[in-house]
Amino acid sequence: MPRNLVAQTPTYPWEQLKPIRERAAQHPDGPVDLSIGSPVDPVPDLVQRALADHADTPGYGTAAGSPALREAIAGWYGRRRGVELDTDAVMPTIGSKEFIAQLALWLGLGPDDVVVQPVVHYPTYAVGADATGARLVSSDDPDEWPAGTRLIWLNSPGNPDGRVNDVQLLRRAVARARELDAIIVQDECYAELGWEAPWDAHVPCILEDAVTDGDLHNVLSMYSLSKQSNMAGYRTGIVAGDPKLVQSLVNLRKQFGLSLPRPIQAAMTAALDDDEHVQVQKAVYRRRRELLLPAARTWGLQISDSTAGLYLWGTRGEDGWDTMRALAELGVIGGPGHFYGSAGERYVRLALTATDAAIETAAARLSL
């Protein structure tokens, strides 16, 4: 029996932060919010111009994306991810979250099926599985993935932990997915934000020949311009990989009316065609990380992984809510590790997506 998602979907978990926010707001100099990974820096001028230049566009956008956008996506994968793709192997999405939340539904999964997610995981993978009644398994070891697995989510660099999947692990994951006849998707939204060797040079893509041996059957990569180009408000995501699967998804999205407006597609094309602004933004995040990371360690956080992505993932060896309350006493709002699975219950997440001034203030408070 299908669930009534309108009536039965749980309350959005971030509502639980209200007491933390209230305590942090009592700090004499005000709160510093490092809880949410929402960009605060300006949208690049070239993106804004492209949007404005296409503002007088009365027609519908296409679910497949304009030819220019598909070319830009394929070109970006070739330049930045080391993967050569035809334009029938790529498509835009309305951000990445809608795709993650709905893919299990679209695949017709049910109680007899298994969805695999990372041990420490972005919560939306579970939301999609729960909506279908599928059994959810949290495992980073492909050998543990059970029979009946239909959909596998990988996340590299990971949210919240900044963990990177190397080529060897990706090969094992793809091989196991083929044994299970499962679709495997790697969420790569932070791929341009590697900080420490070797990931500062290149974060592996699941579509690379070194991973797939040139066979993309049932293998997908996801990406987003939210972080690299400060376009979270534009809702610009990408899915790429198995051409047959991508085209089936395009057909479904046509039926559901899931298409980006044409001005947004033009803005997305401009962003993908320009690498310079991405490096400028990465330098901004690097400076913020270099301020916040030593301060967090001075305060007592043991930082795990966090070698890529936009977060510091750390623990003081106590329940994560206790760490959250201790941060709030300093007027700093973090993200509770409880939201990212049982393995995260003793952790907190600190986001680099705050202004320079806010990061400087947080670093100063943590260093006292």
Side-chain angles (χ1 to χ4, degrees):
M1 178 73 67
R3 288 183 55 198
N4 182 337
L5 297 180
V6 174
Q8 295 178 287
T9 296
T11 301
Y12 194 55
W14 288 93
E15 299 298 327
Q16 299 175 45
L17 260 65
K18 184 177 179 181
I20 298 292
R21 295 185 184 281
E22 290 174 348
R23 181 66 189 91
Q26 296 174 22
H27 191 279
D29 296 319
V32 176
D33 193 344
L34 305 182
S35 65
I36 303 293
S38 182
V40 298
D41 300 309
V43 175
D45 288 342
L46 64 94
V47 174
Q48 296 188 49
R49 288 196 301 272
L51 182 71
D53 289 346
H54 292 80
D56 186 15
T57 306
Y60 292 112
T62 62
S66 69
L69 176 54
R70 294 197 301 274
E71 290 283 356
I73 295 172
W76 180 84
Y77 267 93
R79 290 193 320 276
R80 306 302 303 171
R81 307 299 284 131
V83 178
E84 298 299 325
L85 297 171
D86 293 330
T87 56
D88 63 349
V90 304
M91 71 177 192
T93 60
I94 307 169
S96 58
K97 191 171 185 177
E98 59 96 343
F99 183 83
I100 293 170
Q102 296 181 81
L103 183 57
L105 279 169
W106 296 342
L107 294 174
L109 271 56
D112 295 332
D113 302 312
V114 174
V115 174
V116 171
Q117 66 177 356
V119 170
V120 177
H121 46 261
Y122 178 54
T124 308
Y125 308 129
V127 169
D130 184 61
T132 69
R135 182 162 70 95
L136 191 65
V137 171
S138 299
S139 171
D140 297 323
D141 183 353
D143 293 338
E144 297 177 350
W145 299 345
T149 297
R150 296 276 308 283
L151 176 61
I152 299 160
W153 290 107
L154 305 180
N155 184 200
S156 176
N159 175 8
D161 58 1
R163 175 182 174 182
V164 175
N165 294 331
D166 61 23
V167 168
Q168 182 179 8
L169 176 61
L170 292 177
R171 283 188 64 86
R172 290 179 57 217
V174 169
R176 179 59 177 154
R178 288 173 175 157
E179 291 173 358
L180 296 165
D181 195 26
I183 292 171
I184 185 167
V185 189
Q186 179 155 272
D187 177 354
E188 302 176 351
C189 290
Y190 302 91
E192 288 276 19
L193 300 173
W195 306 118
E196 298 178 15
W199 315 128
D200 55 342
H202 177 70
V203 171
C205 178
I206 196 171
L207 305 180
E208 292 177 20
D209 285 349
V211 174
T212 67
D213 293 327
D215 179 6
L216 298 183
H217 176 66
N218 277 352
V219 182
L220 295 175
S221 159
M222 292 184 55
Y223 192 66
S224 167
L225 303 190
S226 294
K227 307 307 190 288
Q228 72 153 50
S229 304
N230 301 324
M231 292 175 69
Y234 286 57
R235 310 311 300 132
T236 46
I238 295 167
V239 170
D242 179 352
K244 183 177 179 180
L245 181 54
V246 167
Q247 288 308 304
S248 294
L249 288 165
V250 168
N251 179 62
L252 179 145
R253 296 173 70 81
K254 289 177 181 178
Q255 304 279 14
F256 278 49
L258 296 174
S259 59
L260 282 170
R262 288 166 65 188
I264 298 292
Q265 293 193 29
M268 189 176 180
T269 302
L272 287 165
D273 282 342
D274 180 78
D275 298 331
E276 182 178 356
H277 78 276
V278 181
Q279 297 310 307
V280 170
Q281 186 60 47
K282 182 175 180 178
V284 170
Y285 284 131
R286 186 185 295 277
R287 290 195 300 271
R288 292 173 183 165
R289 183 177 185 272
E290 290 173 350
L291 277 175
L292 192 60
L293 178 59
R297 286 176 168 156
T298 296
W299 189 68
L301 282 178
Q302 300 174 32
I303 305 298
S304 301
D305 295 313
S306 302
T307 56
L310 279 181
Y311 310 104
L312 302 181
W313 179 243
T315 179
R316 297 205 304 182
E318 62 190 1
D319 184 274
W321 283 113
D322 291 337
T323 309
M324 289 284 293
R325 285 186 280 269
L327 286 168
E329 292 294 325
L330 300 176
V332 176
I333 306 167
H338 285 71
F339 290 179
Y340 302 96
S342 60
E345 290 177 353
R346 301 174 78 81
Y347 286 79
V348 295
R349 189 191 79 170
L350 301 179
L352 303 178
T353 49
T355 64
D356 289 347
I359 294 291
E360 290 169 5
T361 298
R365 293 178 185 180
L366 292 168
S367 299
L368 292 176

